[in-house]
Amino acid sequence: FPSHDTTDVYIGKHGKSLRLEGLSDTLNSNVAKRDIVIHPADYVSEEFIAKNGRLGCSNGCLAIDKLISSELIDEIKERTFIYCYSGGSDE
């Protein structure tokens, strides 16, 4: 199953973000190389959902609401195990 470990915090184009390391040689070994990270995004908010009827999508990153992003990143930055699953898209 795709799982990740958190590594280091940095300031990127989306603001305070957290690097991830893939833990599966067969499913996500390129996570770090592809810059798949946790970052805040405008398209992950109650306001965006109300306006668009759904959340927005990233290109593989774990996008989180800007209102909680800094606190959440600080909470999980010390080598936290994260399990991610995508059931695919309806589109």
Side-chain angles (χ1 to χ4, degrees):
F1 293 100
S3 53
H4 305 81
D5 199 3
T6 58
T7 59
D8 63 301
V9 175
Y10 71 100
I11 304 300
K13 68 180 181 179
H14 298 287
K16 186 177 184 178
S17 302
L18 182 61
R19 295 187 201 286
L20 298 171
E21 177 182 327
L23 299 178
S24 170
D25 290 339
T26 58
L27 296 173
N28 64 358
S29 60
N30 290 322
V31 168
K33 290 179 191 173
R34 292 182 55 217
D35 291 325
I36 303 297
V37 301
I38 297 174
H39 67 74
D42 291 332
Y43 52 82
V44 181
S45 68
E46 294 292 333
E47 181 180 327
F48 188 94
I49 294 169
K51 183 177 179 182
N52 297 282
R54 63 172 178 78
L55 284 173
C57 295
S58 75
N59 289 320
C61 291
L62 285 69
I64 54 179
D65 190 325
K66 287 183 170 190
L67 296 176
I68 64 162
S69 62
S70 184
E71 184 178 346
L72 178 64
I73 287 171
D74 286 343
E75 183 70 28
I76 66 173
K77 68 183 177 185
E78 301 294 328
R79 310 276 314 169
T80 298
F81 176 85
I82 298 173
Y83 173 80
C84 302
Y85 174 79
S86 173
S89 173
D90 290 342
E91 296 180 30

